[in-house]
Amino acid sequence: MNSHSMLLCLLLAVTPAAAADTQDEAATLAIVTAGHWQSGQQQGIYRVRLENVGFEHVSCRVWIEWLSAAAPAKPFATVAKLPLAEASDGFWSCPNRSGTVALHDASLQLHLVHAYSHEPRVFNVVLGAPGHYQLQDGNVP
């Protein structure tokens, strides 16, 4: 085997490992757990997770989770999990940890900044049954 073929084999062997390390490096900025949901016999609480994603162009990803406990003393399990698509499209960034997210009952408010124009935007979201939410302000980019 010549040195060129050996180098190609080494590169092919290393490439999948390198790609796996850089797929999705997200840094958690905030986790807020509050509120209450009920759907039929199921009930639980909401959790909102904000993550910074990217390295050259850092944007915010917002996850909404619906949690439920099987019994009062049991730990919570995730019933549903969705990204807030309107705020997680790569055009919005989280300006800071404090004051960025507020969750009361089934009402979520996010203070984000457009990644390019730096224009602030408030996302008002009403959370519902597992897997359901509604953007309230109609100001969708």
Side-chain angles (χ1 to χ4, degrees):
M1 180 182 281
N2 66 28
S3 62
H4 180 55
S5 297
M6 184 178 243
L7 179 61
L8 182 59
C9 288
L10 284 172
L11 286 174
L12 290 174
V14 172
T15 302
D21 290 341
T22 60
Q23 272 184 350
D24 186 23
E25 294 183 18
T28 300
L29 291 176
I31 298 174
V32 178
T33 305
H36 180 265
W37 62 266
Q38 186 165 357
S39 179
Q41 297 298 316
Q42 269 191 316
Q43 61 179 332
I45 59 174
Y46 301 106
R47 179 167 57 199
V48 176
R49 180 185 310 264
L50 274 66
E51 299 174 337
N52 266 347
V53 183
F55 57 96
E56 276 185 43
H57 169 73
V58 178
S59 62
C60 190
R61 182 168 47 206
V62 181
W63 289 101
I64 303 169
E65 299 177 60
W66 289 261
L67 307 176
S68 181
K74 299 287 183 185
F76 283 97
T78 302
V79 175
K81 178 179 178 179
L82 287 176
L84 179 62
E86 296 83 355
S88 300
D89 59 6
F91 291 106
W92 300 99
S93 61
C94 301
N96 58 44
R97 294 175 193 216
S98 62
T100 300
V101 60
L103 178 59
H104 303 285
D105 298 323
S107 178
L108 170 63
Q109 189 175 74
L110 295 165
H111 295 265
L112 304 179
V113 174
H114 194 275
Y116 298 105
S117 70
H118 303 287
E119 184 177 332
R121 160 97 190 268
V122 177
F123 288 84
N124 293 300
V125 183
V126 174
L127 303 175
H132 298 279
Y133 69 85
Q134 183 175 16
L135 194 64
Q136 288 295 296
D137 55 8
N139 184 14
V140 178

